[in-house]
Amino acid sequence: MARDAQQKPKSGHVFALRVYFEDTDAGGIVYYANYLKYAERARTEWLRALGADHSGLMAQEGVMMTVKRCEAEFVAPAQLDDVIEVHTAIEELGGASMWLDQRIRRGLNELVRMRVRLACVNRELKPAKLPERLRALLAPLAQTSKGVG
Amino acid sequence: MARDAQQKPKSGHVFALRVYFEDTDAGGIVYYANYLKYAERARTEWLRALGADHSGLMAQEGVMMTVKRCEAEFVAPAQLDDVIEVHTAIEELGGASMWLDQRIRRGLNELVRMRVRLACVNRELKPAKLPERLRALLAPLAQTSKGVG
Amino acid sequence: MARDAQQKPKSGHVFALRVYFEDTDAGGIVYYANYLKYAERARTEWLRALGADHSGLMAQEGVMMTVKRCEAEFVAPAQLDDVIEVHTAIEELGGASMWLDQRIRRGLNELVRMRVRLACVNRELKPAKLPERLRALLAPLAQTSKGVG
Amino acid sequence: MARDAQQKPKSGHVFALRVYFEDTDAGGIVYYANYLKYAERARTEWLRALGADHSGLMAQEGVMMTVKRCEAEFVAPAQLDDVIEVHTAIEELGGASMWLDQRIRRGLNELVRMRVRLACVNRELKPAKLPERLRALLAPLAQTSKGVG
């Protein structure tokens, strides 16, 4: 239902941040590409909270997560000095990739709705299976899970 | 057909640019959000070539174009020192918005495929009709055209 | 003495932040211009902590602070996932401008040493006196204070 | 003399660029850190014109140029849609580093004056001598030249 869809993700990771001058443009609002930076900061902190920071994934498992697809709906703008939140939830977990649902909110207002497909790649940027350790951490959080990414 | 879709946009505006250090990240490739910057530089030059630069649209018509939705497929990465091209074509023209097809290429290789919905807004960031002058310039270029955006 | 200079600023505001992918470049380290972004985030939070955020300064007093000069010594690089601190102190307070001393540190290591001259400007970007309210907040913090900026 | 200083660099490399939305901030002008991006694009194209692009320097000589110090005077702001030029000249050439004089202009107006010290480093980011090939290219351009950087 639309109402459910609107309120998703019901649970998940929340990352708060402040809008600075660097984020804004001459239109007086946050420049559209910068919401993708916010989303990545949030993904990074979500993975770190799970025990899987970038440096560790590369050093121990030789992989990193890259964005293969991103769909963003810009509903309302954030402005200088705003405090906003990025809500991150995992929608679908595959063997080598996953779909995330990310929403950027200011208070109760949804500013940006994003769906992001992350894929796991090795040092040569070739597709790689998600490390078993990471998959075990993510599986309980996923709304759906498949064997192949 | 997939092959047609792959080769779209057949015509349209081409904007070439160089990848600098500022564009790359510690993965050694262009940071994903920066392709959206490239796409906007290309849209700006495309509009300017049509006689509709940002400053003029705001000064004369009191409007600006904002991105309402963006879908990006990251197919292959660009790297430091690469020269890449952004190909921009108009897919659908409405009364207050339009869909663009933007492809980022290095030589014959497609790196990023984007679909972008631009909406016209006034100084207060409220939806506004596309200025008649701009609409007249764009209509001949659009693959489909509708009365309402 | 060098040792004193090294340890300056002895007091002042401390702002901690994380290094994300967006901040790094293909050299594997933070891109040099991004330290200036960090420094501005720190100045913004320092002013906010004093009760003088950007939006308030503009709305109530019609002014904003702009950087007129910046000198940065890049001593050692920050890297992905680092947590670093920006230490901000006011060196000299004038009537319409001030000099700040900003140091970026990772633990005990100094990464970047900056001196920044901020000037107060009005809506038309013309020089303006520091609002009396702001000057009263800053004067006790300044190492030296002059009547004219 | 002040007049001479004002007009330096008399010769040197010129790189033109356009100001896009991504470069501006909510103050309506180019964000201060972004002039450092412009300056680096110009240095990159200056080195490339001399036959020494980044990828080549790293692949063939195992070195890259990094900024050790930067002094920037922000004289007047650039705005959306402006076309501006970065003028780059070499001031002093050492054995492992150099000082550059970079000016950003819009027409006859000087917007930013920068002095930048570049140092040559190896893959491990340790100081390295300037490759002989690069030094031979740069020496005729330098206003002063020293044996040690």
Side-chain angles (χ1 to χ4, degrees), chain A residues 31-33 74, chain B residues 13-15 35-50 52-54 57 65-70 86-89 98-102 104 114-119 134 138, chain D residues 20-21:
Chain A
Y31 181 68
Y32 87 127
F74 302 96
Chain B
H13 182 262
V14 181
F15 175 71
Y35 294 105
L36 276 69
K37 294 186 176 180
Y38 297 165
E40 193 190 312
R41 293 182 203 173
R43 292 193 301 269
T44 296
E45 295 302 341
W46 170 68
L47 287 174
R48 188 191 319 282
L50 289 172
D53 61 274
H54 294 312
L57 280 176
M65 305 305 299
T66 59
V67 177
K68 293 308 286 181
R69 186 174 173 84
C70 172
V86 186
H87 294 246
T88 300
M98 65 188 95
W99 273 103
L100 300 183
D101 181 317
Q102 296 194 285
I104 300 179
M114 290 177 65
R115 291 183 71 238
V116 177
R117 193 163 80 84
L118 288 186
L134 181 57
L138 295 174
Chain D
Y20 295 110
F21 263 117

Short mmCIF file of all heavy atoms in Angstrom, two decimals, chain A residues 31-33 74, chain B residues 13-15 35-50 52-54 57 65-70 86-89 98-102 104 114-119 134 138, chain D residues 20-21:
data_model
loop_
_atom_site.label_atom_id
_atom_site.label_comp_id
_atom_site.label_asym_id
_atom_site.label_seq_id
_atom_site.Cartn_x
_atom_site.Cartn_y
_atom_site.Cartn_z
N TYR A 31 22.93 20.87 -3.63
CA TYR A 31 23.16 20.46 -5.02
C TYR A 31 22.82 18.98 -5.16
O TYR A 31 23.22 18.17 -4.34
CB TYR A 31 24.62 20.71 -5.38
CG TYR A 31 24.97 20.35 -6.80
CD1 TYR A 31 24.47 21.06 -7.87
CD2 TYR A 31 25.81 19.27 -7.06
CE1 TYR A 31 24.79 20.72 -9.18
CE2 TYR A 31 26.14 18.92 -8.36
CZ TYR A 31 25.62 19.65 -9.42
OH TYR A 31 25.93 19.29 -10.70
N TYR A 32 22.13 18.62 -6.22
CA TYR A 32 21.52 17.29 -6.30
C TYR A 32 22.49 16.12 -6.16
O TYR A 32 22.16 15.12 -5.52
CB TYR A 32 20.65 17.17 -7.56
CG TYR A 32 21.33 16.76 -8.85
CD1 TYR A 32 20.83 15.69 -9.59
CD2 TYR A 32 22.43 17.42 -9.36
CE1 TYR A 32 21.41 15.31 -10.79
CE2 TYR A 32 23.00 17.05 -10.56
CZ TYR A 32 22.50 15.99 -11.27
OH TYR A 32 23.08 15.62 -12.44
N ALA A 33 23.69 16.26 -6.72
CA ALA A 33 24.64 15.15 -6.62
C ALA A 33 25.11 14.93 -5.17
O ALA A 33 25.56 13.84 -4.83
CB ALA A 33 25.84 15.41 -7.52
N PHE A 74 13.89 13.34 -6.06
CA PHE A 74 14.16 14.53 -5.27
C PHE A 74 12.83 15.19 -4.95
O PHE A 74 12.25 15.86 -5.79
CB PHE A 74 15.11 15.46 -6.03
CG PHE A 74 16.42 14.79 -6.39
CD1 PHE A 74 16.61 14.21 -7.63
CD2 PHE A 74 17.44 14.70 -5.45
CE1 PHE A 74 17.81 13.58 -7.96
CE2 PHE A 74 18.64 14.06 -5.76
CZ PHE A 74 18.81 13.50 -7.02
N HIS B 13 23.17 16.26 -28.17
CA HIS B 13 24.29 17.13 -27.84
C HIS B 13 25.43 16.31 -27.25
O HIS B 13 25.20 15.38 -26.48
CB HIS B 13 23.79 18.16 -26.81
CG HIS B 13 24.80 19.15 -26.39
ND1 HIS B 13 25.53 19.02 -25.23
CD2 HIS B 13 25.22 20.29 -26.97
CE1 HIS B 13 26.33 20.04 -25.11
NE2 HIS B 13 26.17 20.85 -26.14
N VAL B 14 26.66 16.67 -27.62
CA VAL B 14 27.83 15.97 -27.09
C VAL B 14 28.72 16.97 -26.35
O VAL B 14 29.06 18.03 -26.90
CB VAL B 14 28.64 15.30 -28.22
CG1 VAL B 14 29.85 14.55 -27.64
CG2 VAL B 14 27.74 14.34 -29.00
N PHE B 15 29.09 16.60 -25.14
CA PHE B 15 29.94 17.47 -24.31
C PHE B 15 31.13 16.64 -23.83
O PHE B 15 30.95 15.61 -23.19
CB PHE B 15 29.12 17.98 -23.12
CG PHE B 15 29.90 18.79 -22.12
CD1 PHE B 15 30.36 20.07 -22.44
CD2 PHE B 15 30.19 18.28 -20.87
CE1 PHE B 15 31.08 20.82 -21.52
CE2 PHE B 15 30.91 19.03 -19.94
CZ PHE B 15 31.35 20.30 -20.27
N TYR B 35 29.59 11.70 -11.62
CA TYR B 35 28.99 11.55 -12.94
C TYR B 35 27.75 12.45 -13.06
O TYR B 35 27.41 12.92 -14.15
CB TYR B 35 28.61 10.10 -13.23
CG TYR B 35 29.79 9.16 -13.32
CD1 TYR B 35 30.08 8.28 -12.29
CD2 TYR B 35 30.62 9.16 -14.43
CE1 TYR B 35 31.16 7.42 -12.36
CE2 TYR B 35 31.71 8.30 -14.52
CZ TYR B 35 31.97 7.43 -13.47
OH TYR B 35 33.05 6.58 -13.54
N LEU B 36 27.08 12.67 -11.94
CA LEU B 36 25.92 13.56 -11.96
C LEU B 36 26.35 15.01 -12.19
O LEU B 36 25.61 15.80 -12.79
CB LEU B 36 25.10 13.43 -10.67
CG LEU B 36 24.09 12.29 -10.64
CD1 LEU B 36 24.76 10.93 -10.59
CD2 LEU B 36 23.13 12.42 -9.48
N LYS B 37 27.53 15.36 -11.69
CA LYS B 37 28.07 16.69 -12.00
C LYS B 37 28.36 16.80 -13.50
O LYS B 37 28.04 17.81 -14.12
CB LYS B 37 29.36 16.93 -11.21
CG LYS B 37 29.19 17.00 -9.71
CD LYS B 37 30.52 17.39 -9.07
CE LYS B 37 30.40 17.58 -7.57
NZ LYS B 37 31.70 17.95 -6.95
N TYR B 38 28.98 15.79 -14.05
CA TYR B 38 29.27 15.81 -15.49
C TYR B 38 27.97 15.96 -16.29
O TYR B 38 27.91 16.71 -17.27
CB TYR B 38 29.94 14.50 -15.92
CG TYR B 38 31.28 14.19 -15.32
CD1 TYR B 38 31.81 12.91 -15.40
CD2 TYR B 38 32.05 15.16 -14.66
CE1 TYR B 38 33.06 12.59 -14.88
CE2 TYR B 38 33.28 14.85 -14.12
CZ TYR B 38 33.78 13.56 -14.23
OH TYR B 38 35.01 13.25 -13.71
N ALA B 39 26.95 15.20 -15.88
CA ALA B 39 25.68 15.24 -16.60
C ALA B 39 25.08 16.65 -16.54
O ALA B 39 24.50 17.13 -17.51
CB ALA B 39 24.71 14.21 -16.01
N GLU B 40 25.27 17.30 -15.39
CA GLU B 40 24.71 18.64 -15.33
C GLU B 40 25.51 19.65 -16.13
O GLU B 40 24.93 20.57 -16.73
CB GLU B 40 24.56 19.13 -13.90
CG GLU B 40 23.69 20.37 -14.00
CD GLU B 40 23.58 21.16 -12.77
OE1 GLU B 40 23.33 20.58 -11.71
OE2 GLU B 40 23.76 22.39 -12.88
N ARG B 41 26.82 19.52 -16.15
CA ARG B 41 27.60 20.40 -17.02
C ARG B 41 27.10 20.25 -18.46
O ARG B 41 26.93 21.25 -19.18
CB ARG B 41 29.09 20.00 -16.99
CG ARG B 41 29.77 20.22 -15.67
CD ARG B 41 31.24 19.83 -15.76
NE ARG B 41 31.81 19.51 -14.45
CZ ARG B 41 33.02 19.02 -14.26
NH1 ARG B 41 33.82 18.78 -15.29
NH2 ARG B 41 33.45 18.77 -13.03
N ALA B 42 26.86 19.02 -18.87
CA ALA B 42 26.40 18.76 -20.24
C ALA B 42 25.02 19.36 -20.48
O ALA B 42 24.77 19.95 -21.53
CB ALA B 42 26.38 17.26 -20.50
N ARG B 43 24.11 19.22 -19.52
CA ARG B 43 22.78 19.81 -19.69
C ARG B 43 22.87 21.33 -19.81
O ARG B 43 22.17 21.96 -20.59
CB ARG B 43 21.88 19.45 -18.50
CG ARG B 43 21.52 17.98 -18.43
CD ARG B 43 20.40 17.71 -17.44
NE ARG B 43 20.68 18.10 -16.08
CZ ARG B 43 21.23 17.33 -15.16
NH1 ARG B 43 21.60 16.08 -15.46
NH2 ARG B 43 21.40 17.76 -13.94
N THR B 44 23.76 21.92 -18.98
CA THR B 44 23.95 23.37 -19.01
C THR B 44 24.44 23.83 -20.37
O THR B 44 23.93 24.81 -20.93
CB THR B 44 24.96 23.77 -17.91
OG1 THR B 44 24.40 23.46 -16.64
CG2 THR B 44 25.29 25.26 -17.96
N GLU B 45 25.42 23.12 -20.92
CA GLU B 45 25.98 23.53 -22.22
C GLU B 45 24.98 23.25 -23.35
O GLU B 45 24.95 23.97 -24.35
CB GLU B 45 27.31 22.84 -22.47
CG GLU B 45 28.41 23.24 -21.49
CD GLU B 45 28.70 24.75 -21.48
OE1 GLU B 45 28.34 25.45 -22.44
OE2 GLU B 45 29.27 25.23 -20.47
N TRP B 46 24.19 22.20 -23.17
CA TRP B 46 23.15 21.89 -24.15
C TRP B 46 22.11 23.02 -24.19
O TRP B 46 21.75 23.53 -25.25
CB TRP B 46 22.51 20.55 -23.76
CG TRP B 46 21.27 20.14 -24.48
CD1 TRP B 46 21.16 19.78 -25.79
CD2 TRP B 46 19.97 20.00 -23.90
NE1 TRP B 46 19.86 19.44 -26.06
CE2 TRP B 46 19.12 19.54 -24.93
CE3 TRP B 46 19.44 20.18 -22.62
CZ2 TRP B 46 17.76 19.29 -24.72
CZ3 TRP B 46 18.10 19.94 -22.41
CH2 TRP B 46 17.27 19.50 -23.43
N LEU B 47 21.66 23.45 -23.03
CA LEU B 47 20.70 24.56 -22.96
C LEU B 47 21.34 25.85 -23.46
O LEU B 47 20.71 26.64 -24.17
CB LEU B 47 20.18 24.73 -21.54
CG LEU B 47 19.18 23.68 -21.06
CD1 LEU B 47 18.83 23.88 -19.59
CD2 LEU B 47 17.89 23.71 -21.90
N ARG B 48 22.59 26.07 -23.10
CA ARG B 48 23.26 27.28 -23.56
C ARG B 48 23.36 27.30 -25.09
O ARG B 48 23.12 28.33 -25.72
CB ARG B 48 24.67 27.37 -22.97
CG ARG B 48 25.37 28.71 -23.23
CD ARG B 48 26.87 28.69 -22.89
NE ARG B 48 27.14 28.00 -21.66
CZ ARG B 48 26.94 28.52 -20.45
NH1 ARG B 48 26.49 29.75 -20.32
NH2 ARG B 48 27.21 27.80 -19.37
N ALA B 49 23.69 26.12 -25.67
CA ALA B 49 23.80 26.04 -27.13
C ALA B 49 22.45 26.35 -27.79
O ALA B 49 22.39 26.84 -28.91
CB ALA B 49 24.30 24.65 -27.54
N LEU B 50 21.38 26.06 -27.06
CA LEU B 50 20.03 26.35 -27.56
C LEU B 50 19.64 27.81 -27.31
O LEU B 50 18.57 28.26 -27.74
CB LEU B 50 19.00 25.45 -26.88
CG LEU B 50 19.01 23.98 -27.27
CD1 LEU B 50 18.07 23.19 -26.37
CD2 LEU B 50 18.60 23.81 -28.74
N ALA B 52 19.61 29.19 -24.08
CA ALA B 52 18.87 29.29 -22.81
C ALA B 52 19.79 28.98 -21.63
O ALA B 52 19.66 27.94 -20.99
CB ALA B 52 17.68 28.33 -22.83
N ASP B 53 20.73 29.88 -21.33
CA ASP B 53 21.61 29.61 -20.20
C ASP B 53 20.89 29.91 -18.88
O ASP B 53 19.88 30.61 -18.84
CB ASP B 53 22.90 30.41 -20.30
CG ASP B 53 22.68 31.89 -20.32
OD1 ASP B 53 22.44 32.43 -21.42
OD2 ASP B 53 22.72 32.49 -19.24
N HIS B 54 21.43 29.35 -17.79
CA HIS B 54 20.79 29.47 -16.47
C HIS B 54 20.54 30.92 -16.07
O HIS B 54 19.45 31.27 -15.64
CB HIS B 54 21.67 28.83 -15.40
CG HIS B 54 21.82 27.36 -15.54
ND1 HIS B 54 20.75 26.52 -15.72
CD2 HIS B 54 22.91 26.56 -15.52
CE1 HIS B 54 21.17 25.28 -15.80
NE2 HIS B 54 22.48 25.26 -15.69
N LEU B 57 17.73 32.42 -18.11
CA LEU B 57 16.41 31.88 -17.74
C LEU B 57 15.91 32.52 -16.46
O LEU B 57 14.73 32.86 -16.33
CB LEU B 57 16.48 30.36 -17.56
CG LEU B 57 16.44 29.50 -18.82
CD1 LEU B 57 16.62 28.03 -18.47
CD2 LEU B 57 15.12 29.70 -19.58
N MET B 65 15.76 25.24 -14.02
CA MET B 65 15.47 23.83 -14.21
C MET B 65 16.07 23.06 -13.03
O MET B 65 17.23 23.26 -12.68
CB MET B 65 16.11 23.32 -15.51
CG MET B 65 15.74 24.10 -16.76
SD MET B 65 13.95 24.21 -17.04
CE MET B 65 13.54 22.46 -17.21
N THR B 66 15.26 22.19 -12.40
CA THR B 66 15.80 21.38 -11.31
C THR B 66 15.58 19.91 -11.61
O THR B 66 14.66 19.54 -12.33
CB THR B 66 15.11 21.70 -9.97
OG1 THR B 66 13.70 21.45 -10.14
CG2 THR B 66 15.32 23.13 -9.57
N VAL B 67 16.42 19.09 -11.04
CA VAL B 67 16.31 17.64 -11.24
C VAL B 67 15.31 17.08 -10.24
O VAL B 67 15.47 17.25 -9.03
CB VAL B 67 17.68 16.97 -11.06
CG1 VAL B 67 17.54 15.45 -11.21
CG2 VAL B 67 18.68 17.51 -12.07
N LYS B 68 14.28 16.42 -10.74
CA LYS B 68 13.28 15.81 -9.86
C LYS B 68 13.56 14.31 -9.67
O LYS B 68 13.21 13.73 -8.65
CB LYS B 68 11.87 15.97 -10.45
CG LYS B 68 11.38 17.40 -10.50
CD LYS B 68 11.49 18.12 -9.18
CE LYS B 68 10.44 17.66 -8.18
NZ LYS B 68 10.55 18.40 -6.90
N ARG B 69 14.10 13.70 -10.69
CA ARG B 69 14.40 12.28 -10.60
C ARG B 69 15.62 11.97 -11.45
O ARG B 69 15.81 12.58 -12.51
CB ARG B 69 13.22 11.44 -11.06
CG ARG B 69 13.43 9.96 -10.84
CD ARG B 69 12.21 9.11 -11.17
NE ARG B 69 12.56 7.70 -11.09
CZ ARG B 69 12.57 6.99 -9.97
NH1 ARG B 69 12.19 7.52 -8.84
NH2 ARG B 69 12.96 5.72 -9.98
N CYS B 70 16.41 11.04 -10.99
CA CYS B 70 17.61 10.64 -11.72
C CYS B 70 17.81 9.14 -11.54
O CYS B 70 17.77 8.64 -10.42
CB CYS B 70 18.79 11.43 -11.15
SG CYS B 70 20.36 10.89 -11.80
N VAL B 86 29.69 13.28 -22.66
CA VAL B 86 28.31 13.14 -22.21
C VAL B 86 27.40 13.41 -23.41
O VAL B 86 27.47 14.50 -24.00
CB VAL B 86 27.97 14.12 -21.07
CG1 VAL B 86 26.57 13.83 -20.54
CG2 VAL B 86 29.00 14.05 -19.96
N HIS B 87 26.59 12.42 -23.76
CA HIS B 87 25.64 12.56 -24.86
C HIS B 87 24.26 12.81 -24.26
O HIS B 87 23.81 12.02 -23.44
CB HIS B 87 25.61 11.28 -25.70
CG HIS B 87 26.89 11.02 -26.43
ND1 HIS B 87 26.99 11.05 -27.80
CD2 HIS B 87 28.14 10.75 -25.97
CE1 HIS B 87 28.24 10.81 -28.15
NE2 HIS B 87 28.96 10.60 -27.07
N THR B 88 23.63 13.89 -24.68
CA THR B 88 22.35 14.29 -24.10
C THR B 88 21.28 14.37 -25.18
O THR B 88 21.49 15.01 -26.21
CB THR B 88 22.49 15.66 -23.42
OG1 THR B 88 23.47 15.57 -22.39
CG2 THR B 88 21.16 16.11 -22.81
N ALA B 89 20.15 13.73 -24.94
CA ALA B 89 19.02 13.83 -25.87
C ALA B 89 17.74 13.96 -25.05
O ALA B 89 17.67 13.50 -23.90
CB ALA B 89 18.95 12.61 -26.77
N MET B 98 10.58 17.61 -18.33
CA MET B 98 11.02 16.80 -19.47
C MET B 98 11.88 15.65 -18.95
O MET B 98 12.43 15.71 -17.86
CB MET B 98 11.83 17.65 -20.45
CG MET B 98 13.14 18.16 -19.89
SD MET B 98 13.98 19.35 -20.99
CE MET B 98 13.39 20.91 -20.31
N TRP B 99 11.94 14.59 -19.77
CA TRP B 99 12.85 13.48 -19.48
C TRP B 99 14.01 13.54 -20.45
O TRP B 99 13.81 13.63 -21.67
CB TRP B 99 12.14 12.13 -19.69
CG TRP B 99 11.39 11.63 -18.49
CD1 TRP B 99 10.05 11.68 -18.30
CD2 TRP B 99 11.94 11.00 -17.33
NE1 TRP B 99 9.72 11.12 -17.08
CE2 TRP B 99 10.87 10.69 -16.47
CE3 TRP B 99 13.24 10.67 -16.92
CZ2 TRP B 99 11.04 10.06 -15.24
CZ3 TRP B 99 13.42 10.04 -15.69
CH2 TRP B 99 12.33 9.75 -14.86
N LEU B 100 15.21 13.48 -19.91
CA LEU B 100 16.41 13.44 -20.75
C LEU B 100 17.05 12.06 -20.68
O LEU B 100 16.97 11.37 -19.65
CB LEU B 100 17.43 14.47 -20.29
CG LEU B 100 17.00 15.93 -20.30
CD1 LEU B 100 18.18 16.80 -19.89
CD2 LEU B 100 16.49 16.33 -21.67
N ASP B 101 17.70 11.70 -21.77
CA ASP B 101 18.52 10.48 -21.83
C ASP B 101 19.96 10.98 -21.92
O ASP B 101 20.30 11.74 -22.82
CB ASP B 101 18.11 9.70 -23.09
CG ASP B 101 18.89 8.41 -23.24
OD1 ASP B 101 20.13 8.42 -23.02
OD2 ASP B 101 18.29 7.39 -23.60
N GLN B 102 20.77 10.60 -20.93
CA GLN B 102 22.17 11.02 -20.95
C GLN B 102 23.08 9.81 -20.83
O GLN B 102 22.88 8.96 -19.96
CB GLN B 102 22.44 12.01 -19.81
CG GLN B 102 21.65 13.33 -19.95
CD GLN B 102 22.17 14.41 -19.01
OE1 GLN B 102 21.93 14.38 -17.82
NE2 GLN B 102 22.88 15.37 -19.55
N ILE B 104 27.19 8.58 -20.72
CA ILE B 104 28.58 9.00 -20.60
C ILE B 104 29.44 7.91 -21.24
O ILE B 104 29.30 6.72 -20.92
CB ILE B 104 28.96 9.23 -19.13
CG1 ILE B 104 28.06 10.34 -18.55
CG2 ILE B 104 30.43 9.61 -19.01
CD1 ILE B 104 28.31 10.66 -17.09
N MET B 114 22.08 7.35 -18.00
CA MET B 114 21.23 8.09 -17.07
C MET B 114 19.92 8.49 -17.73
O MET B 114 19.87 8.82 -18.91
CB MET B 114 21.95 9.37 -16.61
CG MET B 114 23.11 9.11 -15.70
SD MET B 114 23.98 10.67 -15.26
CE MET B 114 22.69 11.50 -14.32
N ARG B 115 18.87 8.49 -16.94
CA ARG B 115 17.62 9.13 -17.31
C ARG B 115 17.34 10.18 -16.25
O ARG B 115 17.42 9.90 -15.06
CB ARG B 115 16.45 8.13 -17.36
CG ARG B 115 16.58 7.15 -18.50
CD ARG B 115 15.37 6.23 -18.56
NE ARG B 115 14.18 6.95 -19.02
CZ ARG B 115 13.05 7.06 -18.32
NH1 ARG B 115 12.92 6.52 -17.11
NH2 ARG B 115 12.02 7.74 -18.80
N VAL B 116 17.04 11.38 -16.69
CA VAL B 116 16.91 12.50 -15.77
C VAL B 116 15.60 13.23 -16.05
O VAL B 116 15.32 13.57 -17.20
CB VAL B 116 18.09 13.48 -15.95
CG1 VAL B 116 17.92 14.69 -15.06
CG2 VAL B 116 19.41 12.77 -15.67
N ARG B 117 14.81 13.46 -15.01
CA ARG B 117 13.60 14.27 -15.18
C ARG B 117 13.88 15.66 -14.64
O ARG B 117 14.18 15.83 -13.45
CB ARG B 117 12.38 13.67 -14.48
CG ARG B 117 11.07 14.37 -14.95
CD ARG B 117 9.84 13.58 -14.61
NE ARG B 117 9.46 13.75 -13.23
CZ ARG B 117 8.72 14.77 -12.78
NH1 ARG B 117 8.26 15.68 -13.61
NH2 ARG B 117 8.43 14.86 -11.50
N LEU B 118 13.81 16.63 -15.53
CA LEU B 118 14.00 18.03 -15.16
C LEU B 118 12.64 18.70 -15.02
O LEU B 118 11.76 18.50 -15.86
CB LEU B 118 14.75 18.78 -16.27
CG LEU B 118 16.22 18.49 -16.49
CD1 LEU B 118 16.76 19.45 -17.54
CD2 LEU B 118 16.99 18.67 -15.19
N ALA B 119 12.50 19.49 -14.00
CA ALA B 119 11.27 20.26 -13.84
C ALA B 119 11.61 21.74 -13.75
O ALA B 119 12.65 22.13 -13.22
CB ALA B 119 10.51 19.83 -12.61
N LEU B 134 11.60 28.53 -24.48
CA LEU B 134 12.38 27.32 -24.29
C LEU B 134 11.65 26.12 -24.89
O LEU B 134 12.26 25.27 -25.57
CB LEU B 134 12.64 27.10 -22.79
CG LEU B 134 13.47 25.88 -22.41
CD1 LEU B 134 14.83 25.89 -23.09
CD2 LEU B 134 13.65 25.83 -20.89
N LEU B 138 12.85 23.32 -27.68
CA LEU B 138 13.02 21.91 -27.33
C LEU B 138 12.11 20.99 -28.13
O LEU B 138 12.48 19.84 -28.39
CB LEU B 138 12.74 21.72 -25.83
CG LEU B 138 13.72 22.41 -24.88
CD1 LEU B 138 13.24 22.26 -23.44
CD2 LEU B 138 15.12 21.83 -25.03
N TYR D 20 30.01 26.13 -13.17
CA TYR D 20 28.73 25.41 -13.16
C TYR D 20 28.09 25.44 -11.77
O TYR D 20 28.73 25.80 -10.78
CB TYR D 20 28.95 23.96 -13.61
CG TYR D 20 29.42 23.86 -15.04
CD1 TYR D 20 30.71 23.46 -15.36
CD2 TYR D 20 28.56 24.20 -16.09
CE1 TYR D 20 31.14 23.40 -16.68
CE2 TYR D 20 28.99 24.14 -17.41
CZ TYR D 20 30.28 23.74 -17.69
OH TYR D 20 30.69 23.70 -19.00
N PHE D 21 26.82 25.01 -11.72
CA PHE D 21 26.11 24.96 -10.43
C PHE D 21 26.93 24.24 -9.34
O PHE D 21 26.96 24.67 -8.19
CB PHE D 21 24.76 24.25 -10.58
CG PHE D 21 23.61 25.20 -10.76
CD1 PHE D 21 22.86 25.19 -11.92
CD2 PHE D 21 23.27 26.11 -9.77
CE1 PHE D 21 21.81 26.07 -12.10
CE2 PHE D 21 22.21 26.99 -9.93
CZ PHE D 21 21.48 26.97 -11.11
#
